[in-house]
């Protein structure tokens, strides 16, 4: 919580990017530290179940939820991923994560974003968070659980009686729980949510 405390010294409001189990912990922690919390989730396809867990989390914590297009959605359209090819979109600019985040910042009026990123996710995150202690001043990001392990995340959710989010095709708790365009997610959608499929 030291990272959140450092950000709290600068502001009384924070945005939380909600996508899976890690960010659900972060949302709960932020609601304990900041007077004003808003959340956002990125929708890759127009599938209600893909944002269901984020909607439930926002209602649980009584925070406003912004549902925005995923930054990979434009690439999926341009590259005809799971859709017909269209010549009229190939010249459109690529959208980056920071573009989505800046849009949510503008809509909410909140500068700082908290995420569920952790050092165990990648060597790049390990280097970045070890050096910054989870607070990235330049980009106004904070990763309050950057040192946590999967067992810490799952244990916290169980103690707080927060249900684990949909697994989307994997039983491995170390795998991401957000919806994506990978084979496991699509097959899981076909089996469990055939109307959305």
């Amino acid at each position: 919580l030291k990272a959140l405390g450092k950000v709290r010294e600068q502001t009384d409001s924070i945005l939380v990017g909600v996508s899976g189990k890690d960010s659900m912990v972060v949302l709960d922690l932020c609601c304990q530290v900041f007077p004003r919390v808003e959340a956002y989730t990125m929708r890759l396809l127009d599938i209600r179940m893909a944002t269901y867990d984020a909607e439930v989390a926002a209602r649980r914590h009584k925070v406003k939820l912004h549902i925005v297009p995923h930054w990979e959605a434009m690439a999926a359209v341009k590259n005809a991923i799971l859709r017909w090819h269209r010549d009229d979109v190939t010249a459109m600019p690529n959208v980056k994560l920071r573009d989505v985040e800046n849009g949510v910042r503008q809509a909410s009026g909140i500068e700082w974003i908290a995420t569920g990123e952790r050092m165990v996710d990648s060597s790049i995150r390990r280097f970045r968070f070890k050096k910054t202690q989870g607070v990235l001043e330049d980009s106004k990001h904070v990763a309050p659980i950057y040192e946590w392990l999967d067992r810490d995340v799952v244990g916290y959710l169980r103690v707080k009686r927060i249900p684990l989010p949909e697994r989307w095709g994997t039983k491995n708790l170390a795998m991401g729980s957000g919806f994506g365009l990978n084979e496991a997610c699509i097959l899981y959608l076909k089996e469990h949510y055939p109307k959305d499929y």
Side-chain angles (χ1 to χ4, degrees):
L1 289 179
K2 193 182 291 185
L4 286 182
K6 190 171 180 183
V7 175
R8 179 66 182 91
E9 291 171 3
Q10 301 177 46
T11 183
D12 65 352
S13 56
I14 196 156
L15 273 166
V16 181
V18 179
S19 61
K21 67 185 188 327
D22 301 335
S23 54
M24 289 189 178
V25 169
V26 172
L27 179 61
D28 190 73
L29 292 171
C30 286
C31 285
Q32 296 172 47
V33 175
F34 293 88
R36 180 180 172 215
V37 178
E38 292 188 18
Y40 72 94
T41 192
M42 295 181 282
R43 186 186 337 231
L44 190 54
L45 299 173
D46 193 17
I47 296 172
R48 184 174 184 283
M49 288 312 300
T51 58
Y52 177 77
D53 290 318
E55 292 171 20
V56 170
R59 281 195 302 273
R60 179 185 307 113
H61 293 289
K62 297 179 175 66
V63 300
K64 180 176 182 177
L65 177 67
H66 302 265
I67 299 176
V68 297
H70 198 288
W71 63 275
E72 290 181 324
M74 181 55 72
V77 170
K78 286 174 68 170
N79 298 311
I81 298 171
L82 298 178
R83 59 187 71 227
W84 297 106
H85 176 74
R86 289 178 50 185
D87 289 330
D88 61 331
V89 296
T90 54
M92 294 180 78
N94 291 324
V95 177
K96 295 185 166 75
L97 175 59
R98 79 169 159 263
D99 298 323
V100 173
E101 290 177 337
N102 288 337
V104 178
R105 282 180 167 122
Q106 188 174 11
S108 65
I110 300 173
E111 284 189 282
W112 278 89
I113 293 178
T115 67
E117 294 174 288
R118 297 183 292 130
M119 290 196 304
V120 297
D121 295 336
S122 72
S123 56
I124 293 170
R125 288 180 181 178
R126 175 172 293 282
F127 174 76
R128 183 173 57 186
F129 294 140
K130 198 166 184 116
K131 185 178 177 184
T132 63
Q133 303 295 295
V135 180
L136 306 172
E137 294 279 353
D138 290 348
S139 63
K140 299 244 189 285
H141 282 85
V142 60
I145 62 170
Y146 72 97
E147 293 182 299
W148 290 32
L149 301 175
D150 287 317
R151 67 173 178 256
D152 302 320
V153 171
V154 173
Y156 183 94
L157 291 173
R158 286 186 177 145
V159 167
K160 297 287 270 182
R161 295 189 174 150
I162 299 172
L164 281 167
E166 192 91 43
R167 295 305 310 153
W168 291 107
T170 179
K171 290 185 169 46
N172 183 354
L173 289 175
M175 298 294 287
S177 51
F179 179 80
L181 292 179
N182 59 63
E183 183 182 4
C185 283
I186 300 300
L187 291 175
Y188 187 86
L189 186 70
K190 181 179 182 180
E191 182 180 347
H192 297 279
Y193 303 102
K195 286 184 181 177
D196 282 335
Y197 176 80

